[in-house]
Amino acid sequence: MQVSEITRPIVYAGPCVAESLELLEAVAEPLSKLAKELNFDLTFKASFDKANRSAVDSYRGPGLEQAMKWFEIIKKKYNVGILTDIHESHHAAACAPVVDVLQIPAFLCRQTDLIVAACETGRIVNIKKGQMVSPESMLNAVDKARAACARKGLPLRVALTERGTSFGYGNLVVDMRSFPLMAKAGVPVIFDITHSTQLPGTHDGGKTTGGDRRFAPVLARSATATGYLDGYFLEVHPEPSKAKSDKTVQLSIPQGETLLRQLIPLWRDARGFNAQDKKYHD
């Protein structure tokens, strides 16, 4: 996946976790229709296991085996690709027959064996930038992926995703400089709209991550205007307040649709900005 080959925005969208097949269908149907209308490249996302939940008793998901069955149904019925998180190296090969994009979670972005295992499947690998990691450091993650692909004679199919940087104990900030800095890796750069509005460890007495979805449009429009984005990641749920994970940051289906209708035209307008900016980087 080369940046030069991208002619329409990449959109990774869906609920945080696979709660049920009915929920997946409720989100996949409107998103797939919107993708055709606005002409963006949709990959449907959901996690089979949220292994990094804050509390021991938080809902994690249906597990790999059940989720893969649901993903196969969604993939065929709505003609979409599938993205899911992996947390251990053996998950890569287990998910690859169904999943099109293997995602390395932010907390695991420096785990070499996990990146290598994901790349060796030949699938696209989306690496989330860790909340504690600088944009420049993510070029090292791409180098790991590049080396793994070279050893197997595979093309490099990697994307980097910005999802905010820790600012104190309970806040995240999005540094707009991270987009041109990560773009130096020569791979697609994605903006995680919803996770960037998280307020870690601030909900339910610190047992769950809080957030403020009101800032999703502001951050998304600002990131788009840099001209360095190749796409978006956003979590969408029919009833966010009842979601089993990330209920304070997920967008409702109408909110997600409204935001994408704003962003896609802006994305097309902004694509020429980075060429104009090169004189400042040289």
Side-chain angles (χ1 to χ4, degrees):
M1 182 172 53
Q2 301 296 319
V3 174
S4 60
E5 299 172 353
I6 297 172
T7 58
R8 56 182 186 157
I10 299 165
V11 176
Y12 299 148
C16 178
V17 64
E19 298 178 21
S20 68
L21 177 58
E22 292 73 22
L23 176 111
L24 298 183
E25 289 186 310
V27 180
E29 183 174 6
L31 284 178
S32 61
K33 290 180 179 178
L34 192 66
K36 293 177 182 177
E37 178 189 340
L38 299 180
N39 191 29
F40 59 78
D41 184 8
L42 173 66
T43 298
F44 185 79
K45 69 82 47 187
S47 298
F48 66 86
D49 179 18
K50 301 298 292 184
N52 58 354
R53 293 303 302 273
S54 299
V56 67
D57 56 351
S58 296
Y59 177 74
R60 290 181 49 164
L64 192 149
E65 184 177 351
Q66 179 63 74
M68 292 306 125
K69 293 177 182 178
W70 292 346
F71 291 164
E72 282 190 299
I73 294 171
I74 296 298
K75 188 171 184 175
K76 293 176 182 177
K77 186 172 182 178
Y78 299 102
N79 192 30
V80 293
I82 299 293
L83 176 150
T84 200
D85 306 277
I86 59 172
H87 298 88
E88 300 180 44
S89 297
H90 67 87
H91 289 160
C95 291
V98 176
V99 174
D100 303 273
V101 182
L102 299 171
Q103 182 163 278
I104 309 298
F107 286 135
L108 300 177
C109 69
R110 297 184 61 174
Q111 295 297 105
T112 302
D113 290 347
L114 188 60
I115 293 172
V116 169
C119 289
E120 287 181 344
T121 66
R123 294 302 195 183
I124 296 171
V125 179
N126 183 40
I127 308 176
K128 292 280 194 79
K129 183 180 78 64
Q131 299 92 322
M132 64 297 184
V133 175
S134 70
E136 295 93 335
S137 295
M138 292 306 295
L139 275 61
N140 295 330
V142 176
D143 286 343
K144 294 176 182 180
R146 184 176 287 110
C149 291
R151 286 194 296 269
K152 289 289 185 177
L154 296 169
L156 181 67
R157 306 179 72 203
V158 168
L160 294 178
T161 294
E162 167 65 59
R163 51 95 71 238
T165 300
S166 295
F167 187 73
Y169 290 115
N171 202 1
L172 296 175
V173 295
V174 179
D175 184 348
M176 296 299 156
R177 297 173 297 180
S178 68
F179 299 109
L181 290 171
M182 291 199 296
K184 290 182 178 181
V187 299
V189 175
I190 310 296
F191 178 49
D192 184 340
I193 297 170
T194 46
H195 284 106
S196 293
T197 68
Q198 284 184 333
L199 301 171
T202 61
H203 200 62
D204 296 334
K207 293 195 69 175
T208 61
T209 291
D212 195 338
R213 66 174 63 87
R214 293 178 303 167
F215 295 108
V218 174
L219 292 173
R221 290 192 294 261
S222 299
T224 303
T226 68
Y228 286 90
L229 282 192
D230 297 290
Y232 307 95
F233 177 107
L234 63 157
E235 291 186 335
V236 182
H237 193 283
E239 296 182 84
S241 63
K242 296 181 180 180
K244 295 183 178 181
S245 177
D246 278 353
K247 65 182 180 180
T248 60
V249 301
Q250 292 197 71
L251 304 180
S252 67
I253 293 172
Q255 287 172 333
E257 289 182 342
T258 297
L259 185 54
L260 287 170
R261 287 185 188 280
Q262 295 175 353
L263 295 177
I264 301 305
L266 180 59
W267 180 89
R268 294 193 168 95
D269 289 341
R271 291 295 280 178
F273 289 1
N274 55 4
Q276 298 172 25
D277 290 347
K278 284 184 178 178
K279 61 183 178 181
Y280 296 102
H281 293 280
D282 294 337

